[in-house]
Amino acid sequence: MTQTADPARRSFVDELKDGVTPRATLLVIGVLALQLLFIASYVGALHSPKLRDVPFGVVAPGAAAAEQAVTRLERLPGEPLDPRTVADRAAARERIVDREIDGALLIDPAGTTDTLLVASGGGRTLAGALATLVTGLERSEGRALRTVDVAPAGTGDANGLTSFYLVVGWCVGGYLCASALAMSAGARPTNIRRGVIRLAALALFAILGGLGGAVIAGPVLGALPGSVAALWGLGALVVFAVGAATLALQCVFGIAGIGVAVLLVVIAGNPSAGGALPPPLLPPFWAAIGPVLPPGAGVWAARSIAYFEGNDITGPLLVLSAWAMAGAAITVVMAALKKKPERRPSERAPRPSEAPSEAPSEAPSEAPSEA
């Protein structure tokens, strides 16, 4: 008789193989890679902020004086500013509110004090960096500087980060909702109808999540001014865009699609979103990718709604819409391509015409004849 191996005598290697499967090993390696990318992305983007090519206006009486000031600012080491002449104070303020420039210097040749216009609603860090830079330049020429904030951040938005945290919350809701839908019923919908149902459920979640975030940040906490209805619409679009993209990635990559969504939204998207550091203070790579990812588009639009009269949000809304439509389309297409495995002939249910006939009953045995 064959004896079964004693479980207590199994080797450590055998236990290790059973306890950590190859699939689990791959998932752990993927998590480690995401962890290291997270650290590299955030530290790389935020550890050394420097002004780079900040759109900046110069107002001075006389074209010659204005051009001279622009030339001087263009020659600053490291090219922190991208200066251009502006007609007057009103035009400079209008361009700042329209988000065409981030600041402007008003030169007063008749006095010794010039004026710097900034907009802390676009990021307190950026406004402070501009003030520090221009103050140093003015002091080197024996002039004083007065700073005027033409689009100040709200009193409840102490560090100008509320828009960033609000959008991050919307993004987290989007990919967690999509992940929950996939975990409950498989990464890829089995048919078009189920794909549409998932997208409809995500849309309902996005409407509720967008409204909740707008109400909490606005009327409840007083942290962000601006139209609640506009922020609601933006929030619903952000949640749906991230959720639809996550559904699509899961359809393509399976459960690993959640990791790809985290890579795009959290690891690449959050540090480049312009929250902690506005785009002019980010390194070139992060400044370039931020506007085309959902967090960056969402933060820009939220700040525009809150502090800049809703100006310059067409581009960000188109970016978010593109993510939403592409994610929804890929989800539906992949659901249409999903085919149930065909049954083998032996496993097919018999057709009615093929149903086996009942076995004939055994003929009764003949009774013994009477003697």
Side-chain angles (χ1 to χ4, degrees):
M1 176 184 283
T2 307
Q3 295 183 348
T4 23
D6 185 359
R9 295 182 178 178
R10 298 184 67 193
S11 68
F12 174 76
V13 175
D14 294 331
E15 294 290 349
L16 182 62
K17 288 180 180 179
D18 289 344
V20 184
T21 63
R23 184 170 183 267
T25 302
L26 290 176
L27 289 174
V28 170
I29 293 173
V31 171
L32 176 62
L34 288 177
Q35 171 188 302
L36 297 179
L37 286 172
F38 183 96
I39 295 171
S41 179
Y42 279 71
V43 175
L46 308 177
H47 77 289
S48 180
K50 294 178 183 178
L51 290 171
R52 291 179 177 85
D53 295 322
V54 181
F56 192 77
V58 176
V59 178
E67 289 296 337
Q68 183 179 2
V70 166
T71 301
R72 179 167 57 95
L73 295 176
E74 285 177 336
R75 294 176 179 175
L76 291 175
E79 300 181 350
L81 303 177
D82 178 16
R84 72 285 310 267
T85 59
V86 181
D88 52 30
R89 182 189 184 109
R93 185 187 184 284
E94 182 180 358
R95 290 196 181 187
I96 292 174
V97 174
D98 288 342
R99 309 205 73 177
E100 294 180 15
I101 59 177
D102 292 312
L105 177 63
L106 313 180
I107 299 174
D108 180 12
T112 58
T113 301
D114 295 331
T115 302
L116 173 67
L117 304 183
V118 294
S120 62
R124 289 186 182 274
T125 309
L126 176 57
L130 284 175
T132 300
L133 174 66
V134 179
T135 297
L137 294 175
E138 294 288 286
R139 186 180 295 118
S140 67
E141 297 185 357
R143 300 180 66 82
L145 184 70
R146 182 171 66 98
T147 302
V148 177
D149 197 341
V150 300
T155 55
D157 189 11
N159 296 315
L161 294 175
T162 299
S163 337
F164 173 62
Y165 293 136
L166 177 60
V167 171
V168 167
W170 283 330
C171 290
V172 169
Y175 67 72
L176 286 183
C177 177
S179 302
L181 290 171
M183 288 180 179
S184 64
R188 184 192 294 184
T190 54
N191 54 53
I192 294 178
R193 180 182 296 177
R194 292 190 181 182
V196 172
I197 289 173
R198 285 193 188 182
L199 290 170
L202 175 63
L204 177 60
F205 177 87
I207 292 171
L208 296 176
L211 175 61
V215 170
I216 291 171
V220 174
L221 297 179
L224 200 65
S227 167
V228 173
L231 288 173
W232 177 11
L234 173 65
L237 181 56
V238 170
V239 174
F240 186 80
V242 173
T246 304
L247 286 177
L249 290 169
Q250 290 172 151
C251 288
V252 175
F253 299 106
I255 199 67
I258 298 175
V260 180
V262 170
L263 175 64
L264 290 173
V265 177
V266 178
I267 295 176
N270 285 354
S272 64
L277 295 179
L281 287 166
L282 290 171
F285 173 75
W286 281 269
I289 67 172
V292 299
L293 295 175
V299 170
W300 183 275
R303 281 179 171 161
S304 291
I305 291 170
Y307 300 118
F308 296 94
E309 303 174 3
N311 293 320
D312 197 25
I313 62 173
T314 302
L317 293 182
L318 289 176
V319 169
L320 292 169
S321 299
W323 280 90
M325 290 187 293
I330 293 173
T331 299
V332 172
V333 169
M334 294 298 290
L337 296 176
K338 176 81 171 181
K339 293 182 179 179
K340 294 182 179 179
E342 295 184 0
R343 293 182 178 180
R344 290 177 295 182
S346 60
E347 297 175 340
R348 287 188 304 163
R351 297 177 183 175
S353 60
E354 297 176 349
S357 58
E358 294 183 0
S361 57
E362 294 182 0
S365 58
E366 296 182 0
S369 58
E370 293 182 359

